[in-house]
Amino acid sequence: MKVAFFGTPDFAVRSLELLIENHEVCVVVTQPDKPKGRGKKMIFSPVKEKALENNIDVLQPVNAKSHEFIDEIKKYDADIFVVAAYGQILTEDLLFAPKYGSINVHASLLPKYRGAGPIQWSIIDGCEKTGISIMQMSKGLDSGDVISQREVEIEKQDTYGSLSEKLAKTGAELLIDTMKTIENGTAVRTKQHEPSSTYAPMISKETGHIDWKKTSNEIDQIIRGLSPQPGAYTYYNEEILKVWKVEILDKIYENNSFGEIVELNKKGFVVKTGDSSVLISVLQAKGGKLMNTDAYMRGHIIEKGIILK
């Protein structure tokens, strides 16, 4: 099939790669380049880089709802639009423009976790599994008919980064399998069960602010769900500390405050949580590098009794 692909981050790259191998990708649509770093150098999205490597036309509309963009994309006369973590909402008339309409590679088992942050929230909420849904796109937010799904296990050590990689691979493979059924007319579209739907909102900075009243498991899930970005954080004497890894401990400190540093040892420092305690083993100070906590403590003072906030 002749495909127009919409995507932006690393998650979408594997789907684009397999589409290039199996179909004719006539154009790629991705978010505009963004300035990064002190020099404000313009950075291409991972999807744009892959498209340019393969000499595919790239469109980067600031507003995908603009008449100029809609007129331009229709000129490519694609058979189908494939969307994977693009980052903008497409108009209803555009979704239905191609022969086979538009399909979306969504990183959850719909109708659970509709929205912008399904991978992160599946870890934050402590789910044991998630998956990929290939959905026929419609007007509503991730509410179109599901064509296919495939489960992926969430392991105890999984982070947002590692789970994204697994889902990207699974999503790309399921996409190619599903497109075969669409092309040969055997695809079965199933309406989502609306009462079972849940929402996974976009991750904000405040999402990563650790509440030490939560259980040790919940705190570990927040940290893993926001790693490698944007990261979970706390405040030590009003200075921000990003927390990248904790070890859950059984020890309970009944007479201490939530968030209190209750112990210092060779591996790091221990903090009281809502049900037990955790050892902070990897952290990052503002303006500093990510490092093991024992190494950080050799150059910085960490005081027992300080309450993290």
Side-chain angles (χ1 to χ4, degrees):
M1 282 194 280
K2 192 177 181 183
V3 179
F5 182 78
F6 295 68
T8 299
D10 286 317
F11 171 80
V13 171
R14 187 56 184 154
S15 288
L16 176 57
E17 288 176 336
L18 289 194
L19 284 172
I20 292 169
E21 292 176 14
N22 292 274
H23 295 274
E24 178 193 350
V25 180
C26 58
V27 64
V28 162
V29 185
T30 190
Q31 291 280 55
D33 303 336
K34 291 184 177 181
K36 190 174 182 181
R38 293 181 180 178
K40 299 297 181 182
K41 181 180 178 182
M42 299 303 287
I43 302 298
F44 294 171
S45 74
V47 163
K48 179 177 178 178
E49 290 182 352
K50 182 57 62 175
L52 295 178
E53 284 175 18
N54 290 273
N55 299 311
I56 299 171
D57 289 353
V58 176
L59 301 180
Q60 296 180 272
V62 173
N63 180 9
K65 294 181 179 180
S66 70
H67 295 300
E68 293 81 7
F69 167 70
I70 292 173
D71 290 343
E72 183 69 19
I73 192 70
K74 286 182 176 179
K75 290 177 184 177
Y76 286 89
D77 195 28
D79 295 319
I80 191 168
F81 290 168
V82 176
V83 181
Y86 169 48
Q88 291 197 52
I89 295 173
L90 305 183
T91 62
E92 190 173 5
D93 65 320
L94 187 60
L95 291 176
F96 295 107
K99 176 182 178 181
Y100 296 104
S102 304
I103 60 174
N104 178 249
V105 184
H106 186 77
S108 81
L109 298 173
L110 291 169
K112 193 169 185 180
Y113 294 127
R114 296 173 177 175
I119 304 176
Q120 297 98 319
W121 285 107
S122 67
I123 297 175
I124 292 171
D125 290 345
C127 298
E128 295 181 353
K129 66 180 181 180
T130 182
I132 292 289
S133 300
I134 307 296
M135 173 193 67
Q136 191 79 44
M137 296 180 73
S138 62
K139 184 179 180 180
L141 176 65
D142 299 328
S143 60
D145 295 349
V146 173
I147 307 171
S148 60
Q149 290 186 323
R150 191 167 294 169
E151 290 185 0
V152 172
E153 181 183 357
I154 301 177
E155 300 176 78
K156 279 293 184 182
Q157 70 273 19
D158 267 328
T159 64
Y160 167 48
S162 66
L163 185 57
S164 292
E165 289 180 10
K166 290 195 287 188
L167 287 167
K169 181 176 182 295
T170 299
E173 293 168 353
L174 184 60
L175 171 64
I176 298 306
D177 291 345
T178 304
M179 287 183 67
K180 291 176 183 175
T181 68
I182 292 172
E183 192 169 15
N184 64 28
T186 62
V188 176
R189 295 165 175 81
T190 304
K191 290 190 178 300
Q192 295 185 40
H193 185 243
E194 287 298 324
S196 301
S197 68
T198 60
Y199 180 57
M202 186 176 293
I203 297 297
S204 67
K205 179 184 177 182
E206 189 59 32
T207 308
H209 192 179
I210 298 170
D211 178 0
W212 295 103
K213 295 185 183 70
K214 290 183 179 291
T215 67
S216 294
N217 271 323
E218 288 171 332
I219 290 167
D220 175 59
Q221 288 158 194
I222 290 167
I223 292 165
R224 290 187 293 109
L226 301 180
S227 174
Q229 54 90 18
Y233 64 94
T234 190
Y235 289 95
Y236 176 92
N237 285 341
E238 299 185 1
E239 289 291 324
I240 194 167
L241 280 180
K242 283 199 169 184
V243 182
W244 292 109
K245 190 174 182 180
V246 295
E247 178 183 333
I248 297 173
L249 306 176
D250 294 330
K251 194 169 182 180
I252 298 172
Y253 296 83
E254 293 184 353
N255 299 320
N256 298 86
S257 301
F258 301 122
E260 183 176 343
I261 298 175
V262 292
E263 184 183 330
L264 310 177
N265 60 40
K266 293 180 180 179
K267 294 174 67 177
F269 56 89
V270 177
V271 182
K272 175 182 168 67
T273 67
D275 67 340
S276 60
S277 55
V278 295
L279 170 73
I280 296 181
S281 57
V282 181
L283 55 70
Q284 183 179 12
K286 184 178 181 180
K289 296 180 179 179
L290 183 150
M291 61 174 63
N292 290 334
T293 305
D294 60 345
Y296 177 83
M297 290 170 64
R298 286 195 288 271
H300 302 79
I301 296 174
I302 294 290
E303 296 181 70
K304 186 177 177 180
I306 294 291
I307 297 175
L308 302 178
K309 296 181 178 179

